[in-house]
Amino acid sequence: MRRLARSVPSAAALLVLTLLAVSRVAFAAAESTCVNGGQQNPDIAARKTALQRSPTLLGTRIELANLLEKAGCYEEAVHFLEEGKKYNPYNPTLLSSLRRARSKVEEEHYREGVDRAEASARLNRKMERCTSEQEVAACDEVLNQQPNNTKILIAKGDALMKAHRPLEAWKAYIRASELEPKNGPLSAKLQALRSQRQAVLKRCTDGDGDAALQACKSVLVKGAPNEFEITVRIAALQQSTNQASQALDSYIAANSLRHGDKGVALAILALLQSTQRKDAIALAARGSSLVTLGRAHEALTSLRQAKVLEPELPDIDQQIKSAEALARTEPTVHKEKERPIQVAAVNVEVETTPEPQHFSNVAEATRSN
């Protein structure tokens, strides 16, 4: 009997929670109506105005309270009914409406408490999945609510390392170290990862073939000081392994990071010629490269074609204006031979055209002239 007595309240509690869950959507809708529609309801506004002029109007006050309850504005309904007690302290209709409105407020607060308890339970479960089960997605869900939770940031870094995603792990550890700079175990994790990154970076800069290419891709970090150099290195490795299309995309990405690099410009022009790409991005890259090489007149043609194909292309209008300004300063239109470039390590080495030799019959005859 004692065991049965304990189970009955449990079942009742479950029933209450189920009913609350079913009504939660309707309650949320009512609450939203109170915020967004109740205050703009013309009937509510009219009765509020009437009560401001004549606060003793009992019927108007009861109507206002009923309208507020329908809109889900229970606390405001209680406020107006309690204010009415000053003028009609013993009116049974007003007192009945006030009891009903107060009951709605209590129910609202109870639901809010249940919601908070359920939200807390869900959050604790996500924390457990992040720290114990090393689920990256669970870590992200927790960090959406607690972005400065150092324990979760470190756990996310550990989960990312387990998933072989060291760059993302590095970002999580760095963020955690900013919050706790004197965390010894975290500093050790960062040092180990830093050493690992240096080894991979060396494979990127000193190696060749697909192994070096994959190493470069693994150490490429958006916004890092060496992003441009690593991107150029990736492009050069792709070019050396006959991945012309991918190399072109990488050189275009490098050009967007840093305009004015002649090596990148020459590589883009050469690869555009071999791949025959003529989409808006390719044409804009061609125009930018020609500007870099001092051929603004030719650049304008490509830039204007890119704008026709994709009018909303980022910075295209500014590029056209800049090319037009440079074109006005060019004395003559000339064309430079487009050729591929050779890249060593991370830095791009650009072929230079030797100075032409001049011969003269004026000087004394020698073996050279």
Side-chain angles (χ1 to χ4, degrees):
M1 286 297 292
R2 188 176 300 170
R3 189 175 304 168
L4 178 61
R6 276 200 294 264
S7 66
V8 170
S10 177
L14 287 174
L15 178 59
V16 170
L17 290 175
T18 302
L19 290 173
L20 286 173
V22 170
S23 64
R24 189 169 292 116
V25 173
F27 171 71
E31 188 179 40
S32 176
T33 302
C34 175
V35 174
N36 299 320
Q39 308 307 319
Q40 299 176 1
N41 186 310
D43 293 331
I44 291 177
R47 284 161 177 77
K48 284 183 178 180
T49 301
L51 285 177
Q52 287 176 350
R53 294 172 179 170
S54 303
T56 60
L57 294 175
L58 178 61
T60 301
R61 190 174 296 275
I62 298 297
E63 291 174 358
L64 174 59
N66 291 337
L67 288 171
L68 288 169
E69 286 186 32
K70 288 180 181 179
C73 303
Y74 306 120
E75 291 191 357
E76 192 172 4
V78 169
H79 167 73
F80 278 102
L81 291 170
E82 287 181 340
E83 190 178 59
K85 285 179 64 179
K86 294 186 295 184
Y87 309 103
N88 302 278
Y90 306 111
N91 185 276
T93 303
L94 185 143
L95 295 177
S96 175
S97 297
L98 181 57
R99 284 193 298 271
R100 184 180 65 248
R102 285 172 175 169
S103 175
K104 293 287 186 181
V105 171
E106 291 175 0
E107 183 180 353
E108 180 181 31
H109 290 167
Y110 178 74
R111 286 170 175 167
E112 289 174 353
V114 171
D115 286 343
R116 284 194 295 271
E118 290 183 351
S120 178
R122 287 194 298 269
L123 183 62
N124 289 335
R125 175 55 184 154
K126 290 171 186 174
M127 287 181 173
E128 180 69 19
R129 283 163 43 204
C130 171
T131 56
S132 300
E133 302 172 27
Q134 293 188 319
E135 291 185 15
V136 177
C139 297
D140 287 333
E141 290 177 6
V142 176
L143 290 172
N144 284 337
Q145 300 180 50
Q146 300 179 3
N148 296 329
N149 189 321
T150 307
K151 180 180 178 181
I152 298 301
L153 283 166
I154 296 173
K156 179 182 178 180
D158 295 342
L160 288 166
M161 288 296 293
K162 182 181 177 181
H164 306 291
R165 295 158 62 182
L167 284 182
E168 296 170 82
W170 173 263
K171 293 178 181 178
Y173 288 148
I174 286 293
R175 176 58 185 150
S177 70
E178 291 172 352
L179 296 169
E180 288 189 18
K182 296 183 180 180
N183 187 314
L186 176 59
S187 298
K189 291 176 187 287
L190 279 169
Q191 183 57 44
L193 190 52
R194 188 178 290 111
S195 299
Q196 178 183 336
R197 281 169 53 82
Q198 289 297 326
V200 176
L201 182 60
K202 185 173 178 60
R203 288 202 299 273
C204 163
T205 57
D206 298 347
D208 54 25
D210 188 63
L213 178 59
Q214 295 307 316
C216 289
K217 288 181 177 179
S218 70
V219 295
L220 179 65
V221 179
K222 297 294 184 184
N226 64 352
E227 183 182 4
F228 172 79
E229 288 78 9
I230 298 298
T231 304
V232 171
R233 178 63 174 157
I234 289 172
L237 289 166
Q238 289 169 330
Q239 192 174 9
S240 68
T241 53
N242 298 319
Q243 302 178 52
S245 179
Q246 294 90 331
L248 177 57
D249 287 336
S250 296
Y251 276 124
I252 291 174
N255 184 61
S256 67
L257 291 170
R258 184 186 298 174
H259 292 296
D261 188 287
K262 290 188 176 181
V264 171
L266 288 169
I268 289 173
L269 294 178
L271 288 168
L272 283 173
Q273 188 174 12
S274 64
T275 59
Q276 295 296 305
R277 267 184 60 180
K278 295 181 180 179
D279 56 275
I281 292 176
L283 288 168
R286 175 181 172 81
S288 176
S289 299
L290 288 169
V291 167
T292 296
L293 297 174
R295 295 155 60 179
H297 284 92
E298 296 175 64
L300 280 171
T301 301
S302 296
L303 292 171
R304 287 165 178 165
Q305 288 175 344
K307 181 173 175 60
V308 170
L309 290 176
E310 195 169 332
E312 301 301 322
L313 195 67
D315 298 328
I316 190 63
D317 292 326
Q318 183 58 43
Q319 289 188 62
I320 291 174
K321 289 180 181 178
S322 298
E324 288 173 342
L326 290 171
R328 288 193 290 269
T329 67
E330 288 182 353
T332 58
V333 179
H334 61 280
K335 186 170 184 179
E336 184 176 340
K337 181 180 178 181
E338 297 171 7
R339 57 191 181 279
I341 61 171
Q342 299 296 326
V343 179
V346 174
N347 296 321
V348 179
E349 293 182 357
V350 183
E351 294 181 3
T352 58
T353 305
E355 291 292 332
Q357 294 182 351
H358 300 283
F359 300 92
S360 171
N361 292 326
V362 177
E364 182 181 351
T366 67
R367 290 178 182 272
S368 62
N369 64 2

